[in-house]
Amino acid sequence: MFHRPAVPPLHRGRLAAAAIALGLLGTLTTSAWAGAREPSPQQRAQAPVTAVRPTAGAATPLSGYAIQSSAKVTDSPAAVSSPGYRATGWYPAGARSTVLAALIADGVYPDPFYSTNQRKIPKADFQVPWWYRSDFTVTDRTRRTYLDFSGVISAADVYVNGKRIAEAADVNGAYTQHELDVTSLVRSGTNTVAFRIRPNDPNKNLTMGWIDWLQPPPDQNMGIVRDVLVRRGGPVALRDAHVVTSLAVPSLATADLTVKAQARNDSNTPVTARVSGSIGTKTFATSVALAAHRTKTVTFAVHLDSPKVWWPAGMGGQPLYGLDLTASVNGTPSDTAHQTFGIRDVQAPLNSAGDRQYRINGRKLLIKGGGWSPDEFLRWDRTYVEDRLKYALDLGLNTIRLEGHIEPDEFFDLADRYGILTLPGWECCDKWEGQVNGDETGDKWTAADYPVAKASMAAEAARLRDHPSVISFLIGSDFAPDARIEKTYVDALKASDWKTPVVAAASDNSSPITGSSGMKMTGPYDWIPPNYWYAKREGGATGFNSETSAGPDIPTLDTLRRMMTPAELATLWKDPTAKQYHRSPSPVFNTLKLYDNALTGRYGPPTSLTDYVRKAQLAQYENVRAQFEAYERNATDASKPSTGVVYWMFNSGWTSLHWQLMDRYLDQGGAYFGAKKANEPLHIQYSYDDRSVVVLNNRNTSADQLTVRATLFNTDGTQRYDRKVTGVKVSGGGAHSTALTLPASVSGLSTTYLVRLTLTDASGKEVSRNVYWLSAKPDTLDWAHTDWYYTPTTSYADLKGLDSMARVPVSATASTSTGADGTSTTTVTVRNSGKGKTPSLLTDVHLVDSAGKPVLPVQWSDNEVSLWPGESKTLTVTYRTADLRGSAPRVRVSGWNTPERTVPAA
């Protein structure tokens, strides 16, 4: 049970991590607040016009809207929603846009991610409804027409051609799906749809909130954040097409598929429809008689021999199948449906310790994930999302957890394609858990909320069930639902043919139907030392930890200078007690006191902003590495094994100082490369608890004839211990083998010392290198005073000796090749060219343009490497050529004790 602080936080302790693409806001500005700017009537007079495709089964998304505050619209709803209405002075908005996202894109406000600009946006402007209107054209009135949508935040009255067709009481909740038959209202030519969007309050509405992840947007994300589709069809509509898969496990030799769809007669007369379909080379068909306005379920059974099985990345391929269905009446196509799906089996039983253990296609796997955050203003950018998912693969992660903020369909399409598992679920600490969440915020449910919750669950289940990347739904987060709410969810899931595990909560809770969650939410969420992760208690490496990290993740100096003023940067490194706007609105997480105290206590007080960031990257590297290494090492333990860990968070939705493995601009620092190192496919690591040196194998196949070498050095490079072990073997699938144990004491070893571990294969090639900075005086944890968000440290490891390391020159040569696919690869060789014994610790290489600005996103083969005198390392970095923006590439080399230098890389 959590030990709550006297002042309850906005959330019990969590999250961060998203970042948003460079192009998402357009050019960043660091100008002072300029005030809201009115739109130009000449530029913004009319809503965009969408040409609706006439073919049967066509689903055309509206291309965008004109929006305006209802406080500034005096015309009647009938007038606003009629074709020809002059939306003079209205703002343009994209097809998926919150109110504030549209205003930011239109330049009404300066960059809200810089400094405290967002705090200056008046909240009162968003406490009244806003109008969204859009025009669409129809050329063929013989077909039926429907509006199909979800993603309205928080509720809306809906109008078509001057008539109200739905009330806000019915169009309510961000996740509810709505299909409105507007056939009788649609005319040839131009038609108008208008939404009168109600203000959002996550504590009162079943929508989306931000808890303590970031400073919440002033409009609370009110708007329309998913596509509004105009569907066309004949008398019979096909809906709810999906495939229920049953894979033979463990043989994987056969699969039985059940194809289901709803055939609905929307006409006033009986019809007989011919429903035909195909999956690959398999075809099937049937006839179905439908009375007027009646619906029947159409079912087909399909058997596959030698099915193409979908696997998570690293465990196999990601083949996908396509289902195509057509409903015809009198030989004329009336409607079509297409669904992509994958064949795989997911099980997640509780192990003997009561922890949830996932199995994919019969094989156990350790869930290694990160908590996902969308952009703060819910702006969808496919390229930016894809870049982040590629980063997840680069980091060796296999899972993304989405607590609320369940992304659009394209997100899960990408996850399917890349083999990234997903754990979607409802969020904590607001209306979603208002009935059961103790002292957290969020109104209790009323009778009107239960149908909204059920409709939300049904809509998301129908949307997600065929995605092989989706392996569970978490119906609770910090708290499990009570019996009535759980039944509401479970009934909706069963009706939707949901087959993957349903989890009661992300915390150690249970509910009457689904039972124990098998997960824990014990933190930490703020700074703890690396040795914390090895204890099999609290947030340590045992069981399934659904969200946890050491809290702050200070971004690179490049990013800090893009997100904060010089005065704010000075406060950042000088005053640990200062409230940091870019950390969290939570009173628990709004300073960096715990983190800064540890940084000073372990590494010495920072002497400048550059020194502060330098120490932060070192600290984040060692801590993130330890978190993943501990969970990986303990995954195959006979007693209380680790079964899952979700780094809180993978990314942040804005420019943040905590909970992120990469920053908003996708720059990479110590946290990123610490995770990348820990999750290497074949990896050597040190154990903080028992000093063992372990070889861990994440590959499918075993490895043998390996050589392990462990060498201990003083910080001046003097060698004090060296041991080599040959003939090391390790099985695949996450197994580990202990090669040796370092001695408890070594003669002549300094208080602060370095450990270099190398792993070489039978040919003598180095396949893994790992360098640690340790202390003869370890960090001491005060377990007895553990709080819900951290465990106090009573004494710090003495790593101050690192500051005495001699400065070591590192030379670099680089060249670049450009591929035909629009990407370039720069190859960099770095060499420790020092004359003494001192290594270059955590040498970082950044790809920059001619102005010295980072080129992002990038994927490095390796980075933040440590080199002893005479040693060299060749690294490669791949990126989009266009991201150079016409500049010649350069590489900037720096490090803990390496003078910064930049060399050409053309």
Side-chain angles (χ1 to χ4, degrees):
M1 139 173 226
F2 300 135
H3 301 277
R4 299 268 177 187
V7 180
L10 297 181
H11 181 288
R12 61 125 165 85
R14 358 194 344 151
L15 323 142
I20 101 176
L22 289 175
L24 216 53
L25 280 175
T27 304
L28 290 175
T29 174
T30 59
S31 63
W33 173 251
R37 176 171 64 80
E38 288 295 325
S40 163
Q42 291 74 28
Q43 293 176 340
R44 287 174 288 281
Q46 292 298 317
V49 179
T50 303
V52 173
R53 290 174 290 147
T55 55
T60 307
L62 296 179
S63 57
Y65 305 90
I67 70 170
Q68 183 56 278
S69 168
S70 63
K72 297 183 178 181
V73 177
T74 58
D75 298 307
S76 68
V80 169
S81 61
S82 294
Y85 177 77
R86 300 288 294 175
T88 303
W90 289 39
Y91 300 91
R96 307 173 187 178
S97 180
T98 65
V99 172
L100 192 50
L103 299 181
I104 292 167
D106 202 39
V108 175
Y109 305 113
D111 177 15
F113 287 1
Y114 180 76
S115 185
T116 58
N117 282 351
Q118 182 172 248
R119 186 155 55 191
K120 303 166 188 174
I121 299 174
K123 295 181 181 179
D125 289 354
F126 312 106
Q127 292 172 358
V128 298
W130 276 68
W131 279 105
Y132 278 59
R133 76 179 307 279
S134 187
D135 291 338
F136 63 93
T137 58
V138 170
T139 57
D140 178 6
R141 289 196 67 239
T142 63
R143 296 196 181 279
R144 304 196 67 82
T145 305
Y146 313 84
L147 289 180
D148 188 342
F149 59 91
S150 66
V152 173
I153 302 176
S154 67
D157 300 299
V158 186
Y159 299 80
V160 170
N161 291 345
K163 303 286 187 180
R164 187 173 69 180
I165 60 172
E167 298 182 16
D170 300 315
V171 180
N172 183 10
Y175 296 102
T176 54
Q177 185 77 26
H178 307 276
E179 184 181 43
L180 306 177
D181 190 333
V182 296
T183 303
S184 63
L185 296 175
V186 169
R187 63 191 69 170
S188 295
T190 302
N191 299 267
T192 299
V193 57
F195 295 81
R196 190 173 184 266
I197 308 287
R198 302 288 179 89
N200 183 40
D201 184 343
N203 286 321
K204 298 181 181 299
N205 309 121
L206 291 171
T207 55
M208 302 181 190
W210 288 98
I211 319 161
D212 51 5
W213 304 10
L214 45 69
Q215 299 292 346
D219 72 338
Q220 294 287 5
N221 294 136
M222 69 182 297
I224 301 176
V225 298
R226 292 182 181 171
D227 286 339
V228 174
L229 302 174
V230 182
R231 291 189 178 275
R232 305 302 308 283
V236 173
L238 281 177
R239 296 293 185 263
D240 199 36
H242 62 285
V243 181
V244 181
T245 64
S246 178
L247 177 65
V249 176
S251 71
L252 313 184
T254 61
D256 289 300
L257 314 180
T258 303
V259 177
K260 291 187 176 182
Q262 300 292 315
R264 187 182 70 207
N265 179 7
D266 286 335
S267 72
N268 294 322
T269 59
V271 297
T272 296
R274 179 73 171 172
V275 179
S276 57
S278 64
I279 296 174
T281 60
K282 300 280 187 176
T283 60
F284 36 85
T286 190
S287 293
V288 56
L290 295 165
H293 303 292
R294 296 300 298 270
T295 301
K296 288 185 179 179
T297 300
V298 180
T299 303
F300 302 99
V302 178
H303 177 80
L304 298 180
D305 292 315
S306 302
K308 298 174 183 177
V309 177
W310 187 96
W311 289 93
M315 297 179 71
Q318 292 78 48
L320 297 171
Y321 286 84
L323 164 69
D324 289 289
L325 292 175
T326 300
S328 300
V329 177
N330 297 324
T332 299
S334 178
D335 202 3
T336 62
H338 175 80
Q339 187 65 44
T340 301
F341 66 97
I343 297 175
R344 53 91 179 98
D345 179 81
V346 179
Q347 302 294 327
L350 303 183
N351 63 16
S352 60
D355 300 317
R356 197 163 294 276
Q357 173 68 70
Y358 279 86
R359 289 187 172 95
I360 307 295
N361 303 330
R363 288 169 54 183
K364 286 184 181 180
L365 81 161
L366 172 69
I367 295 294
K368 295 186 294 184
W372 182 267
S373 173
D375 167 60
E376 178 176 5
F377 306 113
L378 305 185
R379 294 166 293 191
W380 174 257
D381 185 311
R382 178 188 173 91
T383 298
Y384 182 57
V385 169
E386 188 168 12
D387 287 338
R388 281 182 286 168
L389 291 178
K390 288 179 180 178
Y391 269 21
L393 292 181
D394 185 51
L395 290 172
L397 304 183
N398 55 28
T399 304
I400 291 295
R401 181 183 166 209
L402 300 98
E403 182 189 353
H405 300 102
I406 305 173
E407 292 278 36
D409 295 343
E410 296 98 319
F411 176 91
F412 297 96
D413 292 338
L414 289 168
D416 292 344
R417 178 163 32 117
Y418 286 114
I420 299 172
L421 304 174
T422 62
L423 290 171
W426 305 128
E427 65 194 30
C428 85
C429 314
D430 56 21
K431 180 71 171 188
W432 286 101
E433 292 185 346
Q435 207 71 357
V436 295
N437 68 2
D439 60 0
E440 299 287 358
T441 58
D443 288 0
K444 304 299 183 185
W445 288 22
T446 68
D449 293 312
Y450 289 89
V452 175
K454 187 171 185 177
S456 300
M457 187 73 265
E460 289 304 286
R463 195 170 68 91
L464 300 177
R465 63 194 165 194
D466 278 347
H467 287 283
S469 59
V470 178
I471 58 169
S472 277
F473 199 95
L474 279 64
I475 57 175
S477 179
D478 292 27
F479 298 90
D482 63 23
R484 183 181 177 187
I485 295 175
E486 183 185 30
K487 187 175 187 305
T488 298
Y489 290 146
V490 171
D491 286 350
L493 287 161
K494 286 181 178 178
S496 301
D497 287 329
W498 185 268
K499 297 302 180 185
T500 53
V502 179
V503 181
S507 57
D508 184 11
N509 277 296
S510 62
S511 50
I513 301 172
T514 55
S516 173
S517 71
M519 295 184 179
K520 66 178 183 179
M521 191 184 284
T522 48
Y525 299 99
D526 213 323
W527 191 87
I528 43 82
N531 62 349
Y532 172 98
W533 301 108
Y534 283 84
K536 286 196 173 184
R537 56 181 298 174
E538 275 77 26
T542 180
F544 194 118
N545 200 339
S546 68
E547 48 182 67
T548 185
S549 77
D553 285 303
I554 305 300
T556 64
L557 192 57
D558 294 299
T559 291
L560 285 171
R561 286 172 171 158
R562 296 179 71 175
M563 60 185 268
M564 301 171 76
T565 67
E568 290 166 342
L569 291 174
T571 300
L572 176 66
W573 72 271
K574 291 178 179 179
D575 187 359
T577 65
K579 291 182 180 180
Q580 295 293 340
Y581 187 70
H582 286 267
R583 188 162 184 218
S584 173
S586 163
V588 176
F589 301 117
N590 62 2
T591 76
L592 290 164
K593 183 177 179 180
L594 292 176
Y595 178 85
D596 288 352
N597 287 347
L599 214 62
T600 295
R602 301 175 90 238
Y603 293 104
T607 59
S608 65
L609 175 63
T610 300
D611 186 54
Y612 177 79
V613 176
R614 165 178 168 259
K615 287 172 176 170
Q617 302 313 313
L618 202 70
Q620 288 157 199
Y621 186 103
E622 64 165 341
N623 214 316
V624 175
R625 174 179 60 181
Q627 176 176 336
F628 283 107
E629 286 182 339
Y631 271 85
E632 289 206 276
R633 191 202 66 177
N634 290 358
T636 54
D637 286 1
S639 174
K640 297 178 68 176
S642 56
T643 61
V645 59
V646 177
Y647 188 87
W648 210 247
M649 296 179 69
F650 177 71
N651 67 310
S652 178
W654 80 325
T655 43
S656 179
L657 296 172
H658 78 160
W659 293 341
Q660 58 189 359
L661 291 175
M662 79 289 298
D663 64 42
R664 179 225 163 179
Y665 305 107
L666 303 186
D667 205 355
Q668 305 157 334
Y672 187 96
F673 290 113
K676 181 176 171 70
K677 174 57 63 176
N679 293 316
E680 287 177 323
L682 186 60
H683 177 63
I684 189 168
Q685 64 186 58
Y686 167 79
S687 304
Y688 281 83
D689 57 342
D690 60 10
R691 304 183 308 283
S692 61
V693 175
V694 169
V695 178
L696 193 137
N697 186 8
N698 282 311
R699 303 182 306 187
N700 289 332
T701 58
S702 62
D704 56 16
Q705 299 184 57
L706 302 173
T707 298
V708 169
R709 184 178 181 185
T711 313
L712 276 59
F713 302 87
N714 288 339
T715 53
D716 64 0
T718 304
Q719 181 176 309
R720 290 301 183 187
Y721 174 87
D722 188 47
R723 185 180 173 193
K724 183 185 293 185
V725 178
T726 60
V728 176
K729 300 178 182 179
V730 59
S731 300
H736 73 267
S737 177
T738 300
L740 60 93
T741 300
L742 296 179
S745 62
V746 174
S747 177
L749 197 63
S750 54
T751 300
T752 305
Y753 61 97
L754 303 175
V755 176
R756 183 183 67 195
L757 305 178
T758 60
L759 181 68
T760 53
D761 62 18
S763 68
K765 178 185 176 182
E766 184 175 286
V767 292
S768 178
R769 168 185 289 223
N770 213 346
V771 175
Y772 296 80
W773 38 101
L774 302 175
S775 174
K777 178 189 175 186
D779 296 289
T780 304
L781 287 152
D782 182 8
W783 292 104
H785 290 91
T786 295
D787 205 338
W788 62 269
Y789 61 98
Y790 88 118
T791 297
T793 303
T794 56
S795 63
Y796 297 111
D798 184 358
L799 299 172
K800 299 179 184 68
L802 295 177
D803 247 348
S804 66
M805 292 179 69
R807 302 277 279 175
V808 173
V810 174
S811 62
T813 57
S815 61
T816 298
S817 61
T818 300
D821 60 351
T823 65
S824 293
T825 299
T826 295
T827 302
V828 186
T829 299
V830 288
R831 179 183 297 275
N832 182 335
S833 52
K835 302 300 183 183
K837 298 179 180 180
T838 306
S840 61
L841 184 63
L842 225 63
T843 302
D844 177 86
V845 186
H846 254 69
L847 182 76
V848 298
D849 61 18
S850 57
K853 297 179 180 179
V855 177
L856 299 167
V858 293
Q859 289 206 354
W860 287 93
S861 58
D862 196 3
N863 209 329
E864 300 201 345
V865 296
S866 297
L867 301 171
W868 268 250
E871 288 185 333
S872 64
K873 178 77 171 179
T874 298
L875 313 171
T876 60
V877 58
T878 305
Y879 50 96
R880 287 187 289 265
T881 307
D883 288 338
L884 282 168
R885 292 176 171 79
S887 173
R890 297 164 63 84
V891 292
R892 184 180 68 208
V893 181
S894 60
W896 175 258
N897 59 326
T898 301
E900 183 179 306
R901 63 178 307 188
T902 302
V903 300

